[in-house]
Amino acid sequence: MPESLHIQELIDTYILPWSINIALALAIFVVGRKIADVLLKLVVTMMSKAGMDLMLVTFLRSILNALLLLVIVISALDQLGVNTTSFVALIGAAGLAVGLALQDSLKNFASGVLLVVFRPFKVGDTIEAGGVSGGVEEIGIFSTTIRTGDNRIMIVPNGSIYSGTITNNSARPTRRIDMVFGIGYDADIKKAKEILLALMEADARILKEPAPLVAVGELADSSVNFNVRPWVNTGDYWAVRFDLNEKVKLAFDEAGISIPFPQMDLHITKSE
C-alpha cells in the first residue's frame, strides 16, 4: 500500500473523527459554561429579589454551579466516546454514601434553608427554641448563634430549632404582661383593685390601649387572686414586670393589705 494511501486512511479513520469529536467536546464545554453562567446569574437575581439571605444565595449558587459543571463535563466526555454510564453510577453511589454519612448535617442544612426562607425570626430577635432562650446573634446554614440573658453564647443546630416549637418574643411591637397577685380573704377587694389600677395608670410605660386588666381570677384556698394584665412595648416587658412586682408589694404594705404566704398552724394537745 502506498504511503500516501496509508496516511490518508489514518487521517480518515482516526485523526479527522477524533479532531471533530474533540472540537465538539470543547464546544459543548465552552457553550455549556456560558449557558450555565447565564442561568446562575438569573437564579441569583431571582433569589436576591425574593429577599433571601446573602449567605444562602452564595451557598446555593456554589452547589448549582458544581452540578451544572458536572453535567457539562459528562456531556463533553460522552461526545469523546467515553462510557459515562459507570461514571454516573459511581457518582450516584458516592453521593448516597456521603448523604448517609452526613445525614445530620444535611438535616441542619435543610433546616437552615427553611429558617432563612420563611424567617420565623431574624438577627436581634429574642426567641425560645431548641431548649435555649436568648437573643439571636447569627443565623448560619448549619447552626444558629444565640446569646443568653447571662451573656453566654449558645450554638444551636438548626435541625433542633426547626423541628421544635419556636417562640419569638420580639415578633410583635407590644406584649401583654400576665401577673397574679393574691390578697387575704379579710382584705378589702375594692381597695386592692383600686391600688393595682392606680399603679398601672401612673406608669407611663404601660399602654392605654389596650387598657390594662385587673380582675378577680380565682378564689383560692388561702387567697383571693387578682389577674393583672397590662400591655407594654416589647422592649419594656421585663423592666415593667420587675417594677410592678415591687410597687404592688410596697403599696399593699402601706395600705395594710396582706399578701398570704404558705404557713402551718401547729396545735399541741396536752394529754391527761
Side-chain angles (χ1 to χ4, degrees):
M1 180 180 295
E3 183 69 23
S4 59
L5 292 178
H6 181 74
I7 294 175
Q8 184 64 40
E9 183 181 357
L10 183 64
I11 293 174
D12 293 340
T13 306
Y14 297 103
I15 297 178
L16 186 59
W18 269 101
S19 298
I20 294 174
N21 287 337
I22 291 173
L24 289 175
L26 288 174
I28 290 173
F29 184 81
V30 173
V31 174
R33 287 299 299 164
K34 290 184 177 181
I35 295 175
D37 290 339
V38 173
L39 289 176
L40 288 172
K41 289 180 181 179
L42 180 62
V43 171
V44 169
T45 300
M46 293 176 60
M47 289 190 294
S48 299
K49 287 184 178 180
M52 295 179 65
D53 187 81
L54 178 59
M55 182 172 58
L56 177 60
V57 171
T58 304
F59 189 80
L60 292 178
R61 185 191 182 283
S62 300
I63 293 178
L64 184 58
N65 181 55
L67 291 175
L68 290 174
L69 181 59
L70 182 62
V71 171
I72 293 169
V73 170
I74 291 176
S75 300
L77 291 175
D78 187 64
Q79 179 61 42
L80 290 174
V82 178
N83 185 5
T84 57
T85 304
S86 57
F87 184 62
V88 172
L90 180 62
I91 293 176
L96 178 60
V98 171
L100 291 174
L102 301 177
Q103 55 182 334
D104 289 338
S105 297
L106 293 176
K107 175 185 176 183
N108 290 329
F109 167 73
S111 299
V113 172
L114 294 174
L115 289 175
V116 173
V117 171
F118 294 108
R119 295 183 179 275
F121 55 83
K122 62 182 183 300
V123 173
D125 285 353
T126 301
I127 67 169
E128 299 172 26
V132 178
S133 176
V136 179
E137 293 272 304
E138 181 184 355
I139 304 173
I141 293 297
F142 295 99
S143 64
T144 296
T145 302
I146 298 176
R147 184 184 296 274
T148 63
D150 55 354
N151 206 32
R152 291 180 298 162
I153 294 296
M154 309 291 284
I155 310 297
V156 186
N158 287 333
S160 300
I161 294 177
Y162 203 80
S163 62
T165 301
I166 301 173
T167 302
N168 189 339
N169 296 322
S170 305
R172 296 289 182 266
T174 60
R175 285 185 67 185
R176 189 183 72 188
I177 304 176
D178 292 352
M179 309 180 75
V180 177
F181 295 102
I183 64 173
Y185 272 93
D186 56 347
D188 189 332
I189 293 180
K190 291 184 177 180
K191 186 176 182 180
K193 185 174 182 178
E194 290 174 357
I195 290 173
L196 293 170
L197 287 171
L199 289 174
M200 290 188 289
E201 180 71 24
D203 196 326
R205 297 168 298 180
I206 295 178
L207 304 177
K208 307 303 180 185
E209 291 293 335
L213 170 71
V214 177
V216 176
E218 182 184 13
L219 300 177
D221 292 339
S222 58
S223 64
V224 178
N225 293 334
F226 281 95
N227 288 338
V228 178
R229 296 176 177 176
W231 285 83
V232 298
N233 292 321
T234 300
D236 294 330
Y237 180 89
W238 289 109
V240 173
R241 186 183 186 94
F242 294 150
D243 288 348
L244 201 55
N245 272 322
E246 180 179 350
K247 290 176 180 178
V248 168
K249 176 63 170 68
L250 294 174
F252 278 2
D253 288 347
E254 185 176 348
I257 297 176
S258 63
I259 299 178
F261 56 90
Q263 55 185 318
M264 179 183 294
D265 293 332
L266 183 62
H267 301 275
I268 300 177
T269 303
K270 192 174 183 180
S271 58
E272 296 296 335

